């Protein structure tokens, strides 16, 4: 994601930083479904003055949703969240004066979709009837997501009216946006408050259902659930069931891995958004709470990692990104012909995002687009859809040559076009994310090592597609360009005295010499030579990089190292998973498999500490200092590429490499012993359905069509 503090003096609604003023997201509960999400405390309350709320189409449509029981907040007992879009807040009424315990149980069952549905249930565990007063205080400020994220929200309240037993809220500056709140057991409705006074008999229950529906253009959005309808019949539940029906079933004898994979499947299903073109193409949002939109880099890498579950998610992501591919030169949005965008927004301030709702300031999304297109072809995506996307791939190749390579030296560099853009435009896009061994910031234009790897892989990917579609001359030309880039990269990025690649070349073509996790991406893409890979395995294996819970973004021996920073010493699960995939690509190198196994084990141990869900990032303290991973306070969770990271681990250790057009499946397992038997059922590769089991370095069972061949 992004963390550019450099533009703080000119705040713009870009995804330009870790959230400010959150006060510890670790105590918050995030629910997400498609592009809608809700952030609350563990009581289920949305508190005014906090970055909580219900967010719909990048605007906060609920800024207060506080439930009081007899004039006081309830007490939290537990929060249960079986799916990313639903939660049960288990509460009790605070003990009354002179009493040690409470006999009144309160459960809030919440479901998120294009709005919010909540069932309030009171249960009297006592021996006499109890009188209860419930107050639900509601407000909305309808401010843009970015204003909330960056802590720039001025005190603002909705225009509130009461009509026919419903609470109606409207944006004071734009009445096209609003919210309607209604309940099944009619409350007393006052401006900003729903009030119930009830008596609950001993052993009995009382219940009401509350629906909060956003309105756009004075039209109510479809409610997530009709009154009285079971949660399992809701649109999010049906969508999740359909996703699970088509997704590959992946299990392991290791209960931790199985739990993590189950959570990955659930979170990726909830983070899916379907386009509004009428075709319903799926793509994945980057992550909750602040990145619930289509991203270039994040969505592409997530779709790549999720291929073992389903190919359609990757194909839909490619189609969406192709439609918004750059067509012209615009310094305000950093659009350039052929460039794949960085992010898209739909909130109230979206028209002011540097002149448009789409921002293109990223150096890596464009080559990643080409890489994913070829990978979809290998995994059996419809060849006609692939053919339709080839012009977009060609435009992306031209961007790499004509615009990405800004000085004609053969490398892709970035430099923001105006002072409003992102300073750094690789995945470590915080303002201080790229620095040398002494801790000095690199000066633009900057050529990142991993971006050169992506460009190399993109050229080979386009060559492979050219061969598949009978254009051998283009394939030969592209392979020659890739070989030339690989040679130049080895000459100019390798640091022989240190034993790793420079993280970047700066504006003066000087090597930025910090030891970072970026170099592991060079293993993943294959741009690294075997000789260099062997040396890097040794460097990455040391305690300076390996925390015991994953790979640090920056070695602890570097000048800018800070285990509590966003990009300079923290651990990002997707980054570690890519490192594991890279190490297993070079499995012939001594120590590569051992390091990959250690990193994966540490990452899964971290996942277990986080309840089976890997967060966006966590602090990079060594495991011998703290026995459990230390959370990063503003980390997104669920976050798309963190959710998909375990799938990349499984694929990499299986050595799973399909080639659907030639009907071959390569499986070369090197599974960690604790995983036991790993099973993939109903893996769909084009028209073929495959089942396989593997343990250790052996494939124990394979079921595939007769006209397919397995390679080991």
């Amino acid at each position: 994601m992004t963390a550019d503090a450099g533009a703080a003096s000119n705040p713009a609604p870009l995804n330009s930083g870790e959230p400010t003023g959150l006060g510890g997201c670790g105590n918050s509960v995030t629910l997400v479904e498609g592009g809608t999400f809700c952030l609350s405390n563990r009581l289920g309350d949305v508190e005014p003055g906090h970055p909580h709320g219900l967010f719909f189409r990048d605007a906060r449509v609920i800024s207060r949703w506080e439930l009081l029981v007899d004039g006081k907040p309830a007490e939290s007992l537990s929060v249960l969240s079986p799916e990313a879009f639903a939660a049960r807040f288990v509460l009790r009424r605070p003990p009354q004066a002179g009493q040690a315990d409470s006999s009144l149980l309160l459960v809030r069952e919440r479901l998120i979709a294009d709005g919010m549905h909540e069932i309030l249930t009171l249960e009297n565990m006592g021996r006499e009837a109890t009188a209860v007063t419930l107050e639900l205080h509601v407000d909305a400020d309808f401010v843009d997501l970015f204003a909330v994220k960056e802590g720039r929200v001025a005190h603002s309240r909705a225009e509130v009216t009461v009509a026919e037993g419903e609470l109606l809220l409207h944006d004071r500056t734009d009445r096209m946006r609003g919210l309607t709140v209604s309940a099944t057991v009619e409350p007393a409705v006052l401006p900003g408050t729903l009030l119930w006074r009830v008596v609950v008999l001993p052993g009995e229950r009382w219940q009401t259902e509350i629906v909060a529906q956003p309105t756009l253009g004075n039209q109510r959005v479809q409610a997530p659930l009709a009154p009285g309808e079971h949660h399992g019949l809701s649109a999010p539940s049906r969508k999740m069931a359909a996703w699970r029906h088509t997704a590959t079933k992946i299990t392991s004898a290791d209960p931790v891995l199985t739990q993590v994979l189950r959570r990955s499947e659930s979170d990726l299903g909830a983070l899916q958004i379907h386009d509004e073109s009428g075709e319903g193409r799926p793509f994945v949002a980057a992550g909750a709470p602040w990145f619930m939109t289509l991203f270039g880099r994040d969505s592409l890498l997530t779709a790549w990692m999720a291929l073992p579950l389903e190919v359609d998610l990757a194909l839909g992501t490619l189609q969406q990104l192709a439609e918004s591919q750059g067509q012209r030169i615009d310094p305000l949005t950093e659009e350039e012909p052929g460039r794949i965008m960085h992010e898209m927004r739909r909130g109230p301030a979206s028209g002011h995002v540097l002149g448009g709702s789409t921002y293109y300031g990223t150096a890596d999304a464009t080559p990643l687009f080409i890489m994913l297109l070829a990978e979809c072809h290998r995994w059996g995506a419809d060849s006609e859809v692939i053919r339709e996307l080839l012009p977009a791939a060609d435009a992306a190749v031209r961007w790499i040559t004509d615009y990405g390579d800004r000085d004609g030296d053969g490398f892709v560099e970035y430099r923001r076009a105006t002072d409003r853009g992102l300073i750094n435009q690789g995945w470590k896009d915080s303002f201080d994310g790229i620095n040398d061994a002494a801790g000095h910031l690199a000066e633009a234009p900057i050529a990142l090592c991993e971006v050169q790897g992506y460009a190399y892989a993109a050229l080979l990917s386009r060559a492979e597609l050219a061969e598949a579609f009978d254009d051998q001359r283009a394939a030969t030309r592209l392979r020659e360009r890739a070989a030339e880039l690989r040679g130049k990269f080895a000459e100019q990025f390798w640091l022989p005295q240190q034993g790793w690649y420079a993280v970047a070349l700066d504006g003066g073509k000087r090597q930025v010499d910090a030891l970072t996790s970026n170099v592991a991406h060079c293993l993943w893409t294959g741009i690294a030579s075997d000789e260099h890979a062997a040396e890097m395995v040794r460097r990455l294996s040391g305690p300076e990089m390996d925390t015991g819970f994953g790979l640090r973004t920056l070695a602890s021996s570097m000048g800018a190292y800070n285990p509590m920073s966003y990009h300079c010493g923290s651990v990002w699960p997707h980054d570690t998973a890519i490192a594991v995939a890279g190490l297993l690509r070079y499995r012939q190198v001594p120590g590569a498999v051992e390091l990959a196994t250690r990193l994966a084990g540490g990452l899964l141990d971290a996942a277990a500490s986080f309840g089976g869900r890997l967060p966006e990032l966590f602090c990079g303290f060594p495991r011998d200092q703290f026995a459990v991973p230390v959370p990063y306070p503003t980390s997104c969770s669920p976050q798309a590429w963190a959710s998909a990271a375990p799938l990349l681990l499984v694929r990499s250790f299986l050595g799973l490499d399909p080639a659907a057009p030639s009907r071959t499946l390569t499986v070369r397992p090197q599974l960690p012993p604790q995983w036991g038997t790993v099973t993939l059922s109903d893996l769909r590769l084009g028209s073929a359905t495959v089942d396989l089991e593997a343990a250790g370095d052996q494939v124990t069972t394979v079921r595939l069509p007769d006209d397919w061949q397995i390679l080991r």
Side-chain angles (χ1 to χ4, degrees), residues 109-125:
E109 296 181 76
R110 179 173 296 166
L111 183 139
I112 298 299
D114 288 339
M116 187 166 74
H117 180 276
E118 185 162 307
I119 300 176
L120 299 182
T121 303
L122 298 176
E123 185 171 357
N124 185 358
M125 305 292 188

Side-chain angles (χ1 to χ4, degrees), residues 88-376:
R88 299 177 73 197
F89 300 89
V90 184
L91 315 165
R92 71 174 188 172
R93 178 172 59 188
Q96 296 175 320
Q99 296 182 352
D101 287 317
S102 170
S103 60
L104 185 69
L105 177 70
L106 168 61
V107 178
R108 305 172 75 170
E109 296 181 76
R110 179 173 296 166
L111 183 139
I112 298 299
D114 288 339
M116 187 166 74
H117 180 276
E118 185 162 307
I119 300 176
L120 299 182
T121 303
L122 298 176
E123 185 171 357
N124 185 358
M125 305 292 188
R127 296 183 178 181
E128 60 180 330
T130 185
V132 187
T133 299
L134 290 178
E135 303 167 57
L136 181 64
H137 297 282
V138 183
D139 202 356
D141 53 16
F142 300 102
V143 298
D144 192 90
L145 167 72
F146 283 96
V148 181
K149 174 177 176 285
E150 296 168 9
R152 297 187 285 107
V153 179
H155 181 69
S156 176
R157 301 190 64 180
E159 178 183 304
V160 183
T161 57
V162 176
E164 298 179 357
E166 295 182 333
L167 199 59
L168 309 178
L169 300 91
H170 284 95
D171 187 347
R172 292 180 183 273
T173 59
D174 179 6
R175 288 188 57 83
M176 297 295 286
R177 288 182 180 269
L179 183 79
T180 301
V181 181
S182 59
T184 54
V185 177
E186 292 187 5
V189 182
L190 308 172
T193 303
L194 276 65
L195 176 68
W196 296 267
R197 291 187 174 91
V198 299
V199 173
V200 187
L201 299 177
E204 297 292 326
R205 293 183 179 184
W206 175 90
Q207 191 173 84
T208 186
E209 298 181 46
I210 308 168
V211 177
Q213 291 176 268
T215 58
L216 285 174
N218 296 320
Q219 296 294 316
R220 296 189 187 188
V221 175
Q222 179 68 42
L225 203 65
E229 192 173 25
H230 187 270
H231 276 202
L233 300 176
S234 67
S237 296
R238 294 196 305 271
K239 174 184 143 185
M240 185 64 70
W243 162 247
R244 289 197 168 116
H245 177 72
T246 59
T248 306
K249 313 301 183 292
I250 307 176
T251 58
S252 165
D254 179 9
V256 172
L257 178 58
T258 297
Q259 177 197 20
V260 172
L261 291 171
R262 176 72 174 178
R263 175 55 75 176
S264 291
E265 180 188 56
S266 173
D267 287 349
L268 289 172
L271 288 168
Q272 280 188 54
I273 300 174
H274 290 263
D275 73 2
E276 299 171 0
S277 67
E279 299 178 28
R281 296 176 305 204
F283 59 94
V284 65
W290 307 112
F291 304 93
M292 292 309 301
T293 187
L294 178 66
F295 269 67
R297 173 194 316 120
D298 298 57
S299 297
L300 286 164
L301 282 173
T302 300
W304 178 295
M305 295 178 180
L307 281 168
L309 284 185
E310 189 180 84
V311 176
D312 285 349
L313 185 61
L315 210 56
T317 300
L318 289 167
Q319 290 171 316
Q320 286 291 114
L321 290 171
E323 287 186 359
S324 62
Q325 189 172 25
Q327 302 294 323
R328 61 195 179 99
I329 297 176
D330 184 349
L332 288 176
T333 63
E334 302 204 45
E335 179 180 358
E336 293 168 340
R339 196 175 199 180
I340 297 298
M341 64 97 164
H342 174 58
E343 66 171 299
M344 181 181 294
R345 282 291 165 185
R346 299 184 296 179
S350 63
H352 307 292
V353 182
L354 302 181
S357 59
T358 303
Y359 176 63
Y360 290 82
T362 172
D364 48 14
T366 306
L368 286 168
F369 177 92
I370 306 167
M371 290 169 60
L372 182 60
L373 183 62
E375 195 72 1
C376 283

Side-chain angles (χ1 to χ4, degrees), residues 402-417:
D402 298 344
Y403 297 96
D405 184 3
R406 296 173 184 274
D407 56 12
D409 67 344
F411 298 128
V412 175
E413 302 96 2
Y414 63 82
R415 182 177 205 156
R416 63 181 183 174

Side-chain angles (χ1 to χ4, degrees), residues 572-586:
W572 288 61
H574 88 281
D575 186 42
T576 294
I578 287 175
V580 168
L583 289 163
L584 291 171
R585 178 170 185 154
Y586 289 79

Side-chain angles (χ1 to χ4, degrees), residues 26 563-564 610 615 617-619 621 628-635:
M564 299 180 292
F610 289 113
L617 73 155
F618 50 88
C619 293
F621 294 106
V628 294
V630 176
Y632 186 82
T634 59
S635 176

Side-chain angles (χ1 to χ4, degrees), residues 665-669 698-702 710-712:
L665 177 63
T666 299
V667 188
R668 293 173 180 160
Q698 300 295 315
V699 179
T700 56
T701 305
V702 177
I710 187 166
L711 304 177
R712 305 183 187 183

